[in-house]
């Protein structure tokens, strides 16, 4: 299931942390293991996804910087904070709803009348998403992409490219924050990288080439729904 998750997320410019967290939640992984593992996998999968989207010419540097300036330090701050396991699960369940809606294409694939992003807007949005990214152990793409599309700040492919690099820098910052606070990465986590890279490489390549993976998205959305219920009820 891991390569499928990485494939789907990479195809839309994401690292897959929310999907990895959902799978780990289904198998009752401890929160202290879930966060660093998800961020570690994010670094590799989001990095590959960004490479393909950048190569295809979809990256908007100005749009990215507006969010990243505040998201990076806020992700580090969030990564240094430990929260109660029950609260962690509830917050994660809420954030996974964004992933479900995204996978079901609730936000659509195209938006017309693109509006220019003002710097102060990017700084505020980037800071908020960055903080929760580090706190929960995700890159923030499942939140940033829908925001970009809903507020007409960019088109789907452009949002995917920006989100991919956004996820990478936040994951790196959040992971550094966790390590600085004493969190250790389990050796088993590095084994998962190889599996995730297989799906991530294929997803990044085919996603940037307009791959239609609607049915697979629905399958993943179903898995995330189950995980949400498990997180809320336990």
């Amino acid at each position: 299931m891991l390569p499928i998750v990485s494939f789907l997320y990479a195809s839309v410019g994401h690292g897959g942390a929310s999907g990895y967290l959902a799978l780990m939640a289904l198998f009752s992984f401890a929160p202290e293991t879930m966060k660093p593992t998800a961020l570690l996998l994010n670094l590799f999968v989001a990095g590959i996804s960004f490479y393909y989207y950048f190569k295809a010419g979809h990256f908007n540097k100005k749009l990215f910087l507006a969010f990243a300036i505040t998201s990076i330090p806020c992700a580090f701050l969030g990564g240094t904070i430990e929260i109660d396991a029950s609260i962690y699960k509830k917050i994660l369940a809420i954030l996974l709803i964004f992933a479900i809606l995204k996978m079901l294409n609730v936000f659509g694939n195209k938006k017309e009348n693109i509006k220019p992003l003002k710097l102060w807007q990017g700084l505020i949005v980037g800071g908020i998403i960055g903080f929760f990214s580090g706190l929960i152990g995700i890159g923030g793409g499942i939140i940033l992409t829908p925001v970009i599309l809903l507020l007409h700040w960019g088109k789907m492919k452009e949002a995917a490219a920006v989100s991919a690099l956004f996820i990478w820098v936040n994951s790196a910052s959040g992971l550094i924050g966790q390590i600085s606070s004493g969190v250790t990465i389990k050796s088993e986590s590095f084994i998962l990288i190889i599996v995730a890279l297989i799906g991530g490489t294929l997803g990044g390549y085919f996603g940037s080439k307009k791959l239609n993976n609607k049915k697979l998205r629905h399958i993943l959305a179903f898995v995330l729904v189950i995980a949400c219920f498990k997180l809320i009820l336990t």
Side-chain angles (χ1 to χ4, degrees):
M1 192 64 186
L2 180 59
I4 295 178
V5 171
S6 60
F7 174 88
L8 287 171
Y9 276 80
S11 69
V12 292
H14 291 181
S18 58
Y20 310 141
L21 288 170
L23 290 178
M24 287 186 278
L26 288 175
F27 290 96
S28 301
F29 277 58
E32 59 269 21
T33 300
M34 294 168 63
K35 293 170 63 176
T37 299
L39 290 177
L40 182 64
L41 293 175
N42 251 9
L43 289 176
F44 289 88
V45 177
I48 290 177
S49 181
F50 173 71
Y51 167 76
Y52 284 112
Y53 273 96
F54 178 81
K55 188 176 180 180
H58 299 299
F59 182 61
N60 185 325
K61 181 179 179 181
K62 183 178 180 180
L63 186 63
F64 164 75
L65 289 176
F67 297 119
I69 291 175
T70 51
S71 74
I72 296 175
C74 287
F76 176 86
L77 177 62
T80 63
I81 300 175
E82 287 295 329
I83 59 177
D84 181 78
S86 60
I87 298 177
Y88 172 88
K89 290 181 179 180
K90 300 303 183 295
I91 296 177
L92 176 57
I94 294 174
L95 292 180
L96 284 179
I97 294 176
F98 284 94
I100 295 171
L101 296 176
K102 184 67 182 65
M103 285 298 165
L104 293 176
N105 283 328
V106 172
F107 301 106
N109 289 322
K110 295 182 179 180
K111 290 293 183 179
E112 298 180 352
N113 302 320
I114 301 301
K115 301 177 182 178
L117 171 67
K118 296 180 180 179
L119 181 59
W120 67 267
Q121 295 174 319
L123 295 177
I124 294 176
V125 172
I128 294 175
I129 297 178
F131 176 76
F132 280 102
S133 296
L135 183 68
I136 302 302
I138 61 175
I142 59 171
I143 304 175
L144 180 62
T145 300
V147 169
I148 291 176
L149 296 178
L150 286 173
L151 297 180
H152 299 201
W153 288 337
K155 296 182 178 180
M156 182 60 205
K157 290 292 183 179
E158 191 174 47
V162 169
S163 292
L165 187 55
F166 181 83
I167 290 169
W168 196 93
V169 296
N170 283 338
S171 296
S173 182
L175 188 58
I176 292 173
Q178 290 185 32
I179 293 176
S180 69
S181 64
V183 174
T184 58
I185 301 176
K186 303 295 182 180
S187 58
E188 294 80 3
S189 299
F190 293 95
I191 299 177
L192 298 177
I193 293 176
I194 299 176
V195 180
L197 279 176
I198 296 174
T201 300
L202 293 174
Y205 174 77
F206 288 106
S208 62
K209 300 296 183 180
K210 300 181 180 180
L211 174 67
N212 183 352
N213 49 30
K214 182 178 180 180
K215 291 183 179 180
L216 293 177
R217 289 190 185 198
H218 288 174
I219 294 175
L220 179 56
F222 177 71
V223 173
L224 294 178
V225 169
I226 296 176
C228 279
F229 277 108
K230 186 177 186 300
L231 289 167
I232 293 174
L233 297 177
T234 58

